[in-house]
Amino acid sequence: MPKVVYVDFQGNRNELEVANGMTLMQGAVMNGLDGIEGECSGSCACATCHCYVDEAYLDKLPEMSENEDELLDGTASERLGTSRLSCQIRMTDDLDGIVVQLPEEQ
């Protein structure tokens, strides 16, 4: 099963197995990981699953939707060039080992 490395704001790393087809948000929430809230349950309506994706994986991600782009403009933590909503990233074998940084606040 592919793995995701979630790095919290203090630099603590949590490596979790996330099944293909599940979102990075689902993987975090189902494993009780702090730092991703997912208040809208992954419907791309709240931006409480904001994360920073390691640049090495950006080209492997699906294109950002207009809705995701608009929501990222209103995140609690600074939007960066690597910002994505983890509810919009579905795990695949190509993403095995992906590293995502979690912001200070959601």
Side-chain angles (χ1 to χ4, degrees):
M1 190 176 311
K3 294 183 174 138
V4 179
V5 179
Y6 299 90
V7 183
D8 70 18
F9 186 71
Q10 289 82 26
N12 301 309
R13 298 169 68 90
N14 290 287
E15 186 174 301
L16 301 174
E17 290 184 342
V18 178
N20 282 333
M22 288 185 65
T23 67
L24 300 190
M25 184 226 45
Q26 289 171 321
V29 171
M30 289 177 67
N31 284 284
L33 186 70
D34 288 332
I36 291 184
E37 296 173 17
E39 289 180 3
C40 71
S41 299
S43 63
C44 197
C46 72
T48 60
C49 65
H50 177 212
C51 67
Y52 304 114
V53 177
D54 185 285
E55 289 184 7
Y57 289 88
L58 287 175
D59 290 342
K60 297 178 181 185
L61 300 180
E63 186 174 328
M64 185 182 302
S65 71
E66 184 177 322
N67 186 43
E68 180 182 3
D69 190 34
E70 289 174 6
L71 285 169
L72 284 167
D73 284 338
T75 57
S77 292
E78 180 182 10
R79 179 181 183 167
L80 302 176
T82 59
S83 289
R84 291 297 301 262
L85 297 182
S86 61
C87 70
Q88 298 302 293
I89 302 172
R90 291 206 175 272
M91 198 62 190
T92 65
D93 287 334
D94 287 342
L95 296 180
D96 186 27
I98 189 172
V99 178
V100 293
Q101 301 265 55
L102 307 180
E104 182 174 12
E105 61 183 316
Q106 289 289 357

